[in-house]
């Protein structure tokens, strides 16, 4: 929550203030390939009833905004397939008397006070007889469970630092019941108050405990443990989700780091400025006097703490020294330091960015520097603090609950508001789907992975669809070591090719004189041209060996081979082949993975899974921000166009606003259907499944009302062009990877572990307004696995929930760059990788000649 700041004009603001197990067969029970049968019905709230109970048995679905409802009336979204698994989730029950009304008031201060904590203290300490000891006040808005008489609407109090008079005005705003969307805010604010009462500090939306900080001495950084919480209405009741969070804080202030830079540069100020701008620009910094996070945009070297700005509240000039002393009670020690400029988002479209001035000695950098990330020992120490096992997460959560309940202030506050929460994590009935069978070069070459990984089986099973590696080029640096590795690589490809029944011919070899990006561009271009002159054929694959992972060189070569001279390409780092110490014990395994990638880029497929869906197209859609185009985002779409779901058609388009985004999805769908029509003897799919990644909760109404319609209209346009009426069945699913929910599998009486791959959660912690489920597709042996949320916002396919769960799990097996399952369905992962490639390297659409391959 950001508070308004009115004491300084735009551009001169000194500091931003607070602102049943049925075997798992995919077609079992309904005939091979039949997805139209309805699932059995269940009683209970999962049947899509209008209301659901709290701990007191009251209906309170009113806490959910009506425009967020996407669940069909009466739908039971629980599946039956798979083995029942008993689990816990990181949720505790919220118990509330929803019959008591809540009063909201707006609180004003004259003169205005920037510091949020000071505003809170003035109201809580000097107006307690009016508002009550346990009122909820966030610095601007006050909530109380009783009305305020008119005579108590104004109070004159004393400023805690200056001693001057401050008039506090209470203006009634609205009154609402606890079965109201605004009530959720009250519960969340009560949890915040509980955190503060037991000694936590708020940083942005999360709470941390500096008193339990873990120190990493080698880099002088602290790791603050903390929590992210959210109260929300779930399937059966209101619950609190508690997720562990960590904040890495460098103990040295930004000023101390500037002094170190000054010493390293031997007093050369120009060098200091250059180094500091390069090192710290874009860093996230924390101001401990108000626990606010800022992005360091630049240093203002011509300003210092004695510089003055216009203070709008008093209509006078004020120095930054005086401002921080008055507003926050902090004394700046060093006057010979530059100021930090942090630019925030504009308040209104078209306005300049909001500018905040900060003092280096009052700021600390957060997060890890690049040098820390490269230190394996440091990262291992950090992972010990931050990668919590399910047991440690449960213990941490229960410790917070116990501490809160034992606190006298919290107990009185909860009694005042008639609110409480449970003592244990909620129980969660889950189901584990059967492991999927993968098929290699024939029906007899089938295998199942161990812990959803199958790297050891791929080599012997061969490729489901093999494309021979003929007419290919290898480009490598002009150095003996590179030549040796290139010849060794070719020989190993031949050996592995024979094992996998993949013909690998001798490549056309070309060398590069120097490692510069331009040299690689010219050498690769010349190699492709010369190959065509000498053989009369077009190259089918270019393998480029590079000295390191220089981004400029990578981008240059990829742009040449994806746009200017379209040829599938594989860039290999020399160190990958040679090993870090010149010894590579896993050489054959590494070359095998490269060869498998090459096969896919040529149009092959390594394996398939049985998906008995006829006349069906599956679409994955994702977004990525372009690094060179401000305000532009690249949308990428990958769609299947074969019956085995092993061929994918790739498209990208940039967009700068939601209208453009929706129109792009229309274009993507139209072209995807045209490609399907061309490759399937003039047929169109009868069903389309769209998996949409990269969408926040706030965008769901837009996606439901606009993007679903765009897909339907695109299908109608394709039908019109073919002079037919075409209305395919459509399922549109939003995928969310960043979720706070964690699920823990019960082992014995007290132990917890990560759930196995294929675990489905479709009750208790799902949302009553959604047709949603969570899935754990991967095996995790460190830390705690994060499930993925699937929210089906539109479905006319007639498939029961079980089939949606199975389809999602099967699709997680079809990403060919990893011999195991991935977190999201393969078309979404392909779309993500494609959007990343275009946004970071190509900056324009790839050539049409490559779009039917996983280039």
């Amino acid at each position: 929550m950001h508070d308004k700041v009115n004491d300084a004009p735009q551009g001169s603001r000194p500091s931003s203030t607070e602102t049943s197990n049925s075997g798992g067969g995919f077609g079992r029970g309904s005939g091979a390939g039949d997805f139209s049968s309805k699932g059995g019905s269940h009683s209970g709230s999962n049947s899509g009833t209008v209301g659901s109970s709290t701990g007191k048995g009251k209906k309170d679905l009113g806490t959910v905004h009506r425009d967020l409802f996407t669940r069909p009336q009466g739908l039971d979204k629980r599946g039956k397939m798979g083995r029942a698994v008993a689990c816990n989730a990181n949720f505790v029950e919220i118990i509330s008397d929803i019959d008591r009304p809540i009063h909201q008031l707006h609180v004003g201060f004259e003169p205005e006070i920037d510091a949020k904590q000071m505003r809170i203290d003035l109201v809580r300490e000097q107006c307690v007889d009016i508002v009550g000891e346990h009122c909820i006040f966030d610095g601007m808005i006050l909530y109380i469970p009783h009305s305020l008489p008119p005579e108590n609407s104004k109070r004159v109090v004393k400023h805690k630092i200056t001693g001057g008079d401050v008039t506090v005005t209470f203006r009634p705003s609205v009154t609402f019941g606890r079965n109201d969307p605004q009530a959720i805010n009250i519960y969340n604010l009560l949890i915040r108050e509980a955190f503060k009462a037991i000694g936590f500090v708020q940083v942005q939306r999360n709470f941390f405990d500096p008193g339990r900080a873990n120190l990493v001495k080698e880099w002088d950084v602290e790791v603050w443990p903390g929590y992210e919480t959210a109260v929300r209405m779930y399937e059966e009741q209101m619950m609190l989700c508690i997720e562990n969070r960590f904040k890495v804080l460098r103990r040295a202030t930004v000023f101390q780091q500037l002094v170190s830079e000054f010493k390293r540069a031997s007093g050369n100020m120009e060098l200091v400025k250059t180094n500091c701008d390069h090192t710290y620009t874009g860093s996230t910094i924390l101001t401990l006097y108000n626990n606010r996070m800022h992005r360091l945009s630049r240093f203002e070297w011509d300003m210092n703490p004695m510089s003055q700005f216009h203070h709008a509240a008093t209509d006078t000039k004020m120095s930054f020294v005086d401002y921080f002393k008055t507003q926050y009670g902090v004394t700046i020690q060093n006057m010979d330091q530059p100021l930090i400029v942090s630019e925030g988002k504009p308040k209104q479209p078209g306005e300049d960015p909001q500018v905040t001035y900060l003092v280096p000695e009052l700021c600390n950098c957060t997060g890890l520097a690049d040098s820390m990330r490269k230190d394996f020992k440091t990262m291992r120490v950090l992972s010990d603090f931050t990668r919590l096992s399910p047991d440690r997460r449960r213990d941490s959560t229960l410790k917070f609950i116990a501490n809160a309940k034992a606190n006298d202030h919290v107990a009185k506050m909860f009694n005042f508001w008639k609110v409480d929460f449970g003592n244990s994590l909620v129980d969660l009935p889950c189901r584990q789907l059967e492991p999927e069978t993968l098929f290699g070069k024939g029906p007899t070459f089938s295998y199942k992975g161990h812990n959803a990984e199958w790297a050891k089986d791929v080599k012997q099973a061969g490729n489901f669809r093999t494309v021979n590696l003929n007419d290919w080029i290898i480009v490598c640096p002009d150095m003996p070591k590179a030549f040796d590795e290139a010849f060794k690589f070719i020989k190993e490809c031949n050996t592995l090719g024979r094992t996998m029944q993949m013909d690998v011919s001798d490549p056309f070899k070309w060398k590069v004189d120097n490692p510069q990006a331009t040299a690689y561009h010219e050498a690769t271009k010349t190699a492709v041209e010369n190959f065509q002159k000498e053989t009369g054929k077009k190259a089918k694959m270019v393998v480029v060996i590079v000295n390191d992972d220089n981004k400029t060189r990578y981008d240059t070569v990829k742009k040449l081979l994806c746009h200017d001279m379209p040829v599938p390409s594989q860039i290999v780092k020399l160190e990958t082949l040679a090993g870090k110490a010149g010894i590579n014990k896993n050489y054959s395994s590494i070359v095998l993975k490269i060869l498998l990638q090459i096969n896919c880029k040529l149009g092959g497929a390594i394996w398939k899974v049985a998906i008995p869906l006829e006349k069906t197209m599956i679409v994955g859609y994702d977004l990525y921000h372009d690094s060179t185009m401000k305000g532009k985002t690249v949308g990428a779409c990958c769609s299947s166009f074969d019956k085995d779901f092993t061929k994918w058609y790739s498209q990208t388009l940039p967009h700068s606003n939601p209208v453009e985004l929706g129109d792009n999805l229309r274009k993507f769908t139209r072209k995807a259907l045209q490609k399907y029509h061309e490759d399937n003897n003039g047929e169109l799919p009868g069903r389309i499944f769209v998996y949409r990644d990269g969408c926040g909760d706030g965008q769901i109404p837009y996606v439901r009302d606009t993007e679903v319609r765009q897909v339907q209209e695109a299908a109608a346009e394709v039908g019109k062009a073919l002079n037919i009426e075409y209305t395919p069945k459509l399922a549109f699913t939003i995928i969310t990877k960043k979720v706070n929910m964690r699920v823990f599998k019960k082992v014995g009486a007290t132990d917890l572990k990560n759930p196995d791959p294929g675990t489905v959660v479709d009750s208790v912690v799902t949302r009553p307004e959604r047709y949603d489920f969570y899935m754990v597709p991967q095996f995790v042996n460190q830390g705690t696995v994060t499930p993925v949320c699937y929210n089906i916002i539109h479905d006319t396919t007639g498939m029961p929930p079980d089939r949606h769960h199975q389809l999602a799990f099967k699709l997680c097996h079809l990403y060919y760059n990893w011999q195991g399952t991935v977190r999201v369905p393969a078309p979404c992962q392909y779309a993500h990788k494609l959007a990343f490639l275009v946004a970071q390297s190509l900056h324009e659409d790839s050539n049409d000649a490559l779009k039917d391959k996983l280039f």
Side-chain angles (χ1 to χ4, degrees):
M1 184 175 291
H2 296 270
D3 298 341
K4 296 177 181 178
V5 178
N6 299 312
D7 70 332
Q10 183 71 34
S12 61
R13 183 155 65 97
S15 178
S16 172
T17 56
E18 326 311 312
T19 47
S20 80
N21 184 2
S22 42
F26 201 50
R28 190 167 296 179
S30 57
D34 180 8
F35 269 28
S36 61
S37 62
K38 299 289 184 183
S41 62
H42 297 267
S43 61
S45 67
N46 279 77
S47 297
T49 51
V50 175
S52 191
S53 65
T54 64
K56 285 184 173 288
K58 302 286 185 175
K59 306 290 186 182
D60 62 349
L61 259 185
T63 57
V64 183
H65 284 280
R66 300 310 301 175
D67 61 353
L68 296 178
F69 276 76
T70 57
R71 181 177 182 177
Q73 183 72 23
L75 172 73
D76 182 358
K77 61 187 179 185
R78 291 179 294 183
K80 293 180 178 179
M81 288 185 174
R83 179 169 56 88
V85 181
C87 297
N88 284 141
N90 57 333
F91 291 79
V92 294
E93 173 190 9
I94 292 287
I95 305 164
S96 171
D97 180 358
I98 67 172
D99 291 334
R100 292 163 61 93
I102 299 169
H103 301 266
Q104 175 183 307
L105 302 94
H106 184 276
V107 183
F109 296 84
E110 180 62 41
E112 291 187 4
I113 298 174
D114 277 356
K116 174 182 176 179
Q117 192 57 49
M118 187 172 293
R119 298 197 300 269
I120 292 173
D121 291 343
L122 288 178
V123 170
R124 286 190 175 279
E125 294 172 5
Q126 300 186 46
C127 304
V128 64
D129 57 317
I130 297 175
V131 300
E133 182 183 356
H134 302 292
C135 67
I136 295 175
F137 182 47
D138 65 5
M140 289 183 65
I141 305 299
L142 176 73
Y143 298 97
I144 50 177
H146 58 267
S147 59
L148 200 65
E151 61 269 20
N152 289 336
S153 63
K154 192 172 288 190
R155 168 69 61 88
V156 177
V157 300
K158 295 293 182 182
H159 195 288
K160 293 179 68 175
I161 296 176
T162 65
D165 287 347
V166 178
T167 301
V168 184
T169 305
F170 301 95
R171 190 173 73 249
S173 179
V174 295
T175 300
F176 54 89
R178 302 194 184 201
N179 187 23
D180 184 280
Q182 289 191 74
I184 293 292
N185 192 37
I186 301 301
Y187 298 126
N188 282 311
L189 289 171
L190 284 171
I191 300 303
R192 290 185 186 183
E193 290 297 318
F195 272 117
K196 292 174 183 176
I198 59 178
F200 282 68
V201 297
Q202 184 177 0
V203 181
Q204 293 182 305
R205 295 183 178 183
N206 302 333
F207 283 85
F208 299 93
D209 184 2
R212 292 192 297 123
N214 295 292
L215 176 64
V216 182
K217 293 182 179 179
E218 291 82 357
W219 294 95
D220 197 32
V221 298
E222 290 181 347
V223 182
W224 291 7
Y227 302 92
E228 180 177 354
T229 62
V231 176
R232 189 176 280 125
M233 182 64 203
Y234 291 93
E235 211 64 59
E236 303 290 341
Q237 60 196 14
M238 194 83 70
M239 289 193 290
L240 168 68
C241 177
I242 307 174
E243 168 59 351
N244 295 83
R245 287 286 182 259
F246 299 90
K247 180 67 64 181
V248 177
L249 182 71
R250 301 181 212 174
R251 300 211 298 177
T253 66
V254 176
F255 174 68
Q256 289 171 328
Q257 291 174 307
L258 290 179
V259 171
S260 297
E261 290 286 352
F262 184 82
K263 292 177 180 177
R264 276 194 290 268
S266 301
N268 185 332
M269 277 308 298
E270 291 305 314
L271 184 58
V272 171
K273 293 178 183 180
T274 302
N275 291 343
C276 289
D277 289 339
H278 174 75
T279 303
Y280 300 106
T281 297
S283 298
T284 301
I285 55 179
L286 175 68
T287 48
L288 290 171
Y289 53 82
N290 60 358
N291 292 314
R292 286 291 314 280
M293 305 283 286
H294 307 268
R295 183 182 181 276
L296 195 155
S297 301
R298 64 180 185 276
F299 288 100
E300 196 63 74
W301 297 98
D302 295 330
M303 297 178 69
N304 60 55
M306 292 303 295
S307 299
Q308 294 186 325
F309 67 97
H310 180 257
H311 193 277
T314 58
D315 196 28
T316 60
K317 283 191 173 185
M318 178 182 283
S319 70
F320 291 93
V321 172
D322 294 338
Y323 174 84
F324 283 99
K325 181 67 176 178
T326 302
Q327 294 293 335
Y328 296 101
V330 296
T331 302
I332 297 173
Q333 303 294 330
N334 190 290
M335 303 303 157
D336 189 22
Q337 57 182 310
L339 296 185
I340 293 171
V341 176
S342 175
E343 293 184 347
K345 293 180 180 179
K347 285 187 177 181
Q348 298 294 332
E351 290 185 357
D352 293 331
Q354 296 187 67
V355 176
T356 301
Y357 289 94
L358 304 166
V359 180
E361 74 175 55
L362 303 179
C363 305
N364 295 73
C365 284
T366 65
L368 300 174
D370 291 339
S371 54
M372 300 179 196
R373 295 182 189 278
K374 293 176 182 178
D375 186 337
F376 175 77
K377 184 179 178 181
T378 297
M379 296 307 293
R380 187 172 58 185
V381 171
L382 286 172
S383 69
D384 290 340
F385 299 143
T386 60
R387 286 188 180 178
L388 302 183
S389 66
D391 281 326
R392 290 175 64 190
R393 283 182 184 271
R394 174 199 55 196
D395 295 344
S396 173
T397 300
L398 294 181
K399 183 177 180 180
F400 158 67
I401 293 171
N403 288 342
K405 283 177 172 284
N407 184 277
D408 186 59
H409 177 80
V410 174
K412 290 178 179 178
M413 178 179 66
F414 280 11
N415 181 60
F416 179 73
W417 285 93
K418 302 302 179 187
V419 171
D420 198 4
F421 48 62
N423 297 311
S424 61
L425 302 185
V426 299
D427 290 325
L428 195 60
C430 301
R431 293 175 296 108
Q432 184 186 337
L433 302 179
E434 291 293 321
E436 287 294 328
T437 299
L438 299 105
F439 298 91
K441 57 189 174 186
T444 58
F445 291 88
S446 63
Y447 51 94
K448 292 184 179 181
H450 175 66
N451 289 332
E453 290 186 20
W454 49 86
K456 295 179 181 179
D457 303 295
V458 173
K459 183 177 176 181
Q460 296 304 319
N463 294 316
F464 169 70
R465 183 175 62 251
T466 300
V467 179
N468 293 326
L469 182 54
N470 300 320
D471 304 325
W472 63 298
I473 300 168
I474 186 164
V475 179
C476 73
D478 186 9
M479 49 192 289
K481 181 182 177 181
F483 290 156
D484 291 343
E485 289 300 332
F487 283 109
K488 186 179 175 183
F489 172 74
I490 296 166
K491 183 179 179 181
E492 188 65 25
C493 284
N494 273 282
T495 303
L496 292 169
R498 285 192 296 271
T499 303
M500 302 176 68
Q501 297 180 16
M502 177 182 182
D503 179 41
V504 179
S505 64
D506 194 47
F508 182 79
K509 307 171 189 69
W510 202 262
K511 63 184 181 182
V512 190
D513 294 332
N514 69 71
Q516 297 301 316
T518 52
Y520 263 85
H521 178 278
E522 289 305 312
T524 307
K525 180 181 178 183
T526 305
V528 174
E529 291 172 343
N530 285 7
F531 176 83
Q532 188 164 358
K533 286 178 185 177
E534 293 187 19
T535 65
K537 302 175 184 178
K538 285 189 175 181
K540 295 178 181 177
M541 169 61 63
V542 177
V543 175
V544 182
I545 298 175
V546 296
N547 295 79
D548 52 41
D549 51 6
N550 179 276
K551 185 179 185 300
T552 303
R553 181 174 53 227
Y554 177 88
D555 294 352
T556 301
V557 174
K558 276 295 181 183
K559 189 170 184 178
L560 171 69
L561 297 174
C562 290
H563 185 269
D564 304 338
M565 302 177 74
V567 185
S569 59
Q570 181 71 41
I571 297 180
V572 182
K573 200 162 64 168
L574 185 59
E575 186 183 280
T576 302
L577 298 175
K580 290 186 177 181
I583 300 172
N584 200 334
K585 296 179 181 179
N586 300 315
Y587 186 77
S588 183
S589 175
I590 290 169
V591 176
L592 174 62
K593 290 178 180 178
I594 296 171
L595 192 60
L596 292 173
Q597 285 188 55
I598 290 173
N599 180 57
C600 292
K601 291 181 178 182
L602 290 169
I606 310 174
W607 59 79
K608 80 158 190 171
V609 295
I611 302 179
L613 284 169
E614 296 179 355
K615 295 184 179 179
T616 297
M617 183 174 76
I618 298 175
V619 180
Y621 180 60
D622 200 0
L623 309 169
Y624 198 90
H625 296 294
D626 194 313
S627 60
T628 64
M629 298 188 295
K630 268 199 171 181
K632 287 279 187 181
T633 298
V634 174
C637 173
C638 286
S639 55
S640 65
F641 61 94
D642 72 321
K643 63 183 177 63
D644 295 311
F645 307 98
T646 60
K647 294 181 179 180
W648 303 93
Y649 182 62
S650 304
Q651 307 173 66
T652 59
L653 282 170
H655 70 264
S656 56
N657 56 67
V659 176
E660 226 174 73
L661 186 154
D663 197 48
N664 283 352
L665 193 54
R666 182 206 302 266
K667 295 173 185 175
F668 286 149
T669 306
R670 197 163 53 223
K671 284 192 174 183
L673 288 169
Q674 290 167 353
K675 177 64 178 175
Y676 187 99
H677 181 265
E678 291 170 7
D679 280 64
N680 288 273
N681 300 316
E683 286 191 340
L684 287 170
R687 282 175 286 209
I688 301 174
F689 292 85
V690 179
Y691 291 93
R692 163 76 150 86
D693 205 347
C695 174
D697 282 8
Q699 295 173 286
I700 290 175
Y702 172 82
V703 174
R704 177 197 62 204
D705 299 335
T706 304
E707 294 189 15
V708 173
R709 176 173 49 82
Q710 296 278 9
V711 175
Q712 294 169 327
E713 290 173 352
E717 290 169 8
V718 171
K720 186 177 180 181
L722 297 172
N723 294 315
I724 60 171
E725 185 176 333
Y726 178 54
T727 310
K729 296 176 180 179
L730 172 66
F732 199 112
T733 303
I734 293 174
I735 294 175
T736 307
K737 298 189 293 291
K738 293 182 179 180
V739 297
N740 292 332
M741 194 270 270
R742 298 291 183 270
V743 55
F744 318 126
K745 181 180 177 180
K746 292 183 179 180
V747 182
T750 59
D751 292 340
L752 299 176
K753 61 176 280 189
N754 280 312
D756 298 306
T759 298
V760 176
V761 180
D762 55 7
S763 63
V764 183
V765 296
T766 52
R767 306 274 279 273
E769 75 275 15
R770 297 181 179 180
Y771 181 7
D772 61 343
F773 64 93
Y774 291 87
M775 178 174 286
V776 176
Q778 293 178 297
F779 174 76
V780 172
N781 58 7
Q782 288 186 329
T784 306
V785 69
T786 303
V788 175
C789 179
Y790 291 77
N791 181 17
I792 306 170
I793 63 170
H794 179 89
D795 183 20
T796 58
T797 63
M799 289 203 334
D802 273 320
R803 305 298 187 233
H804 282 289
H805 304 164
Q806 284 184 296
L807 179 58
F809 189 43
K810 285 174 179 288
L811 290 172
C812 290
H813 290 70
L814 288 175
Y815 182 66
Y816 294 134
N817 205 20
W818 167 250
Q819 287 79 53
T821 52
V822 287
R823 288 193 66 203
V824 297
C828 281
Q829 187 70 4
Y830 289 133
H832 171 76
K833 299 291 281 189
L834 177 61
F836 180 86
L837 174 66
V838 172
Q840 290 289 312
S841 301
L842 306 186
H843 309 299
E844 55 188 323
D845 198 10
S846 57
N847 192 286
D848 288 347
L850 298 177
K851 289 186 176 181
D852 60 350
K853 299 178 180 67
L854 295 170
F855 64 93

